[in-house]
Amino acid sequence: MSDVVNSSERGTVTQSRASWPVMVLAHNEERHIDSCLESIFAADPDGPFEVFVMANGCTDRTEEIVRAYGRKNPRVHLVSIALGDKCNAWNVFIHETVPQHCAGQEIYFFMDGDARAVPGSFSAMERAMRAEPQAQAVGVPPASGRSMRHDREELLRERGLVANLYALRGAFVIRCQQLGVRIPLRLEGDDGLVGALVKWDLNPSQPMNDLLIAPCADAGFIFESFTISRFADVRAYWRRMVRYGRRGYEFKLLGPRLQAGGIAAMPQDIREIYGDSDRLSLTWNGIYTVTNWFALREMRAIGRG
């Protein structure tokens, strides 16, 4: 399914010392992956990083760029995955890359390939986790975007977690391995599910505990915002809003299923439970009601098909 390649072509990486493993999700990120990697090492120049770029289903120059970067910096490793699916790439990292190449670390960082970390983010996340011994994850707020202030306040207040940048405690990663936790393929809200699993402490039958995610105000990530004047960005924004609608509906189907059956009830592919989408109802959500309607219609069509 995957093959860890040290981009300097010296074979697989061995891990025997304390390090900061960073999983970077990348699907056709030739425009952003170089700046993403630069931001990691610039954020904490003395950080003991080992970066694993999970290049999944790439058809552009992403893998070529990562290989070239690794020839300059052997702490960057390419994990080439044929299937273009971010959830599968997360599963590969947890269940294959970590045991084989970076096992036994106290903290693991997770990042999207189109994001950039702000200075000091990784050391700040490590401090936040050590300051809250009960926490199993660290959530990081955005440092850019039109709704940055609102999104930042909400994440810090609600102790949320978003895929752009976050961290998991090593002990939690080990428990995910032991319990066989795998994110369903094609799931839109992978970060929402990871956050829920953390707050459930991997036991969905119990109430969520917000204290299991430590918010880190001293860390942050930057991303490229859509430009409304570009037609391509308008189309991309529309598709994103439809995906966000699907994200909410998917969790409405998946949440009760996990609460009733535990981790064992996790489907391999989220579309396996789309047949239940007929019982979901469209509710008013301002201008997003339209995109939610499209999302629900898509899910029902797939479920019936």
Side-chain angles (χ1 to χ4, degrees), residues 132 134-140 155 158-161 194-196 198-199 209-215:
E132 299 194 30
Q134 81 284 0
Q136 300 301 305
V138 177
V140 174
L155 183 139
E158 299 184 1
R159 290 177 172 252
L161 183 154
V194 172
V198 170
K199 291 187 177 185
N209 181 357
D210 290 346
L211 296 180
L212 295 182
I213 295 181

Side-chain angles (χ1 to χ4, degrees), residues 10-83:
R10 293 192 302 222
T12 56
V13 60
T14 57
Q15 197 67 50
S16 59
R17 60 182 176 82
S19 69
W20 286 353
V22 184
M23 183 208 78
V24 177
L25 286 177
H27 172 70
N28 289 345
E29 292 293 354
E30 64 179 8
R31 290 180 55 236
H32 303 110
I33 193 62
D34 192 79
S35 59
C36 173
L37 296 173
E38 286 289 330
S39 77
I40 293 172
F41 293 102
D44 288 279
D46 297 325
F49 292 109
E50 291 291 343
V51 181
F52 299 88
V53 180
M54 315 302 286
N56 59 100
C58 293
T59 57
D60 64 356
R61 295 179 55 251
T62 297
E63 293 196 6
E64 176 186 339
I65 293 170
V66 174
R67 287 191 183 95
Y69 198 102
R71 284 192 285 270
K72 299 183 298 181
N73 187 340
R75 291 185 291 169
V76 172
H77 315 282
L78 171 67
V79 184
S80 181
I81 307 172
L83 179 62

Side-chain angles (χ1 to χ4, degrees), residues 1-18:
M1 180 179 292
S2 66
D3 180 29
V4 175
V5 179
N6 183 310
S7 299
S8 58
E9 307 299 337
R10 293 192 302 222
T12 56
V13 60
T14 57
Q15 197 67 50
S16 59
R17 60 182 176 82

Side-chain angles (χ1 to χ4, degrees), residues 110-153:
F110 298 77
M111 190 171 181
D112 276 349
D114 61 352
R116 287 167 288 160
V118 304
S121 287
F122 298 93
S123 55
M125 283 188 276
E126 184 185 50
R127 291 194 302 272
M129 186 163 284
R130 289 183 175 176
E132 299 194 30
Q134 81 284 0
Q136 300 301 305
V138 177
V140 174
S144 67
R146 287 181 292 273
S147 59
M148 179 192 71
R149 179 172 296 181
H150 171 270
D151 294 343
R152 179 182 180 85
E153 291 176 353

Side-chain angles (χ1 to χ4, degrees), residues 224-265:
E224 183 178 303
S225 299
F226 285 123
T227 302
I228 201 67
S229 61
R230 291 202 302 246
F231 179 69
D233 279 6
V234 174
R235 292 182 60 188
Y237 183 76
W238 170 267
R239 291 195 296 270
R240 174 180 288 185
M241 291 303 100
V242 173
R243 292 200 308 271
Y244 281 1
R246 191 165 71 247
R247 170 189 181 127
Y249 287 127
E250 285 177 346
F251 200 76
K252 286 183 178 180
L253 296 178
L254 185 59
R257 181 187 179 99
L258 295 180
Q259 289 171 320
I263 298 297

Side-chain angles (χ1 to χ4, degrees), residues 146-282:
R146 287 181 292 273
S147 59
M148 179 192 71
R149 179 172 296 181
H150 171 270
D151 294 343
R152 179 182 180 85
E153 291 176 353
E154 182 178 65
L155 183 139
L156 296 175
R157 181 180 65 253
E158 299 184 1
R159 290 177 172 252
L161 183 154
V162 292
N164 304 78
L165 185 60
Y166 67 97
L168 294 178
R169 190 178 294 277
F172 185 85
V173 171
I174 291 175
R175 291 172 60 211
C176 286
Q177 295 167 348
Q178 293 172 339
L179 293 173
V181 175
R182 294 178 182 272
I183 305 301
L185 303 182
R186 309 194 206 193
L187 179 71
E188 183 58 41
D190 54 311
D191 51 355
L193 178 56
V194 172
L197 291 172
V198 170
K199 291 187 177 185
W200 275 325
D201 199 22
L202 296 177
N203 182 5
S205 65
Q206 65 183 5
M208 288 187 178
N209 181 357
D210 290 346
L211 296 180
L212 295 182
I213 295 181
C216 185
D218 294 330
F221 60 86
I222 298 170
F223 58 94
E224 183 178 303
S225 299
F226 285 123
T227 302
I228 201 67
S229 61
R230 291 202 302 246
F231 179 69
D233 279 6
V234 174
R235 292 182 60 188
Y237 183 76
W238 170 267
R239 291 195 296 270
R240 174 180 288 185
M241 291 303 100
V242 173
R243 292 200 308 271
Y244 281 1
R246 191 165 71 247
R247 170 189 181 127
Y249 287 127
E250 285 177 346
F251 200 76
K252 286 183 178 180
L253 296 178
L254 185 59
R257 181 187 179 99
L258 295 180
Q259 289 171 320
I263 298 297
M266 192 89 73
Q268 181 178 354
D269 189 312
I270 193 61
R271 298 190 176 196
E272 294 172 16
I273 62 175
Y274 272 18
D276 295 334
S277 59
D278 281 335
R279 64 180 176 83
L280 298 175
S281 59
L282 179 69

